[in-house]
Amino acid sequence: MRWVDEAFRVPGTNIRFGWDPIIGLVPWVGDVLTAIVGCAIVLQAHQMRVPRVVQLRMLLNVGIDLVVGIVPFVGDAADFLWKSNAKNFALLERHGRQSMPATRGDWLFVIGLVAAILAMALVSLVVLYWVLHTLMTHVPLV
């Protein structure tokens, strides 16, 4: 999976990148393709019986890469920084060698992201309620 995140090096620097940011230049399709490739590591983790919370963390890494990658220009730049496949491969190496339990950091990462997703959903519902309430009180019904 090195070819996805770290195949090439910018000459004279330690900056490495792979095919992920290059394929990601194709709007939507490139990001979906790289997410599918990234799920291969998660599938391998599942087959190796890596703890489920670590597998969830890996899926969230791929999800962040996919969601941020969809945003034009910002996503392309983020592909150089957020190397989900390299992160997931490191998690696989750490937890796949022996049946090692999930770390506190794994749990904090997953809990933090789930809390952030719930907060975003709650904020969206509050904004939707506010917009509908404002429209209903200020727009006369015909």
Side-chain angles (χ1 to χ4, degrees):
M1 285 299 189
R2 185 178 93 79
W3 57 271
V4 178
D5 281 339
E6 299 175 338
F8 312 108
R9 185 174 59 86
V10 177
T13 70
N14 288 330
I15 299 172
R16 299 193 68 84
F17 66 97
W19 287 101
D20 184 10
I22 296 168
I23 295 169
L25 290 173
V26 179
W28 291 81
V29 175
D31 297 307
V32 171
L33 285 175
T34 57
I36 291 170
V37 169
C39 285
I41 299 172
V42 181
L43 181 61
Q44 180 66 35
H46 177 72
Q47 291 173 346
M48 294 173 71
R49 305 234 187 264
V50 169
R52 287 189 176 145
V53 70
V54 177
Q55 293 177 42
L56 180 59
R57 181 175 180 178
M58 294 169 113
L59 283 172
L60 289 170
N61 283 337
V62 172
I64 289 169
D65 188 37
L66 175 65
V67 170
V68 173
I70 289 174
V71 179
F73 304 112
V74 173
D76 298 326
D79 279 338
F80 283 96
L81 302 173
W82 185 261
K83 299 175 189 294
S84 65
N85 296 303
K87 292 175 188 301
N88 287 347
F89 194 72
L91 287 169
L92 181 63
E93 284 183 328
R94 185 176 334 134
H95 295 280
R97 288 189 187 136
Q98 51 199 358
S99 185
M100 189 173 168
T103 64
R104 181 180 301 178
D106 295 328
W107 281 102
L108 289 174
F109 181 83
V110 170
I111 290 170
L113 273 174
V114 168
I117 291 168
L118 289 174
M120 287 187 291
L122 184 61
V123 167
S124 298
L125 288 174
V126 168
V127 169
L128 177 64
Y129 172 79
W130 177 76
V131 167
L132 290 176
H133 183 267
T134 303
L135 285 174
M136 296 302 264
T137 57
H138 291 91
V139 176
L141 295 174
V142 178

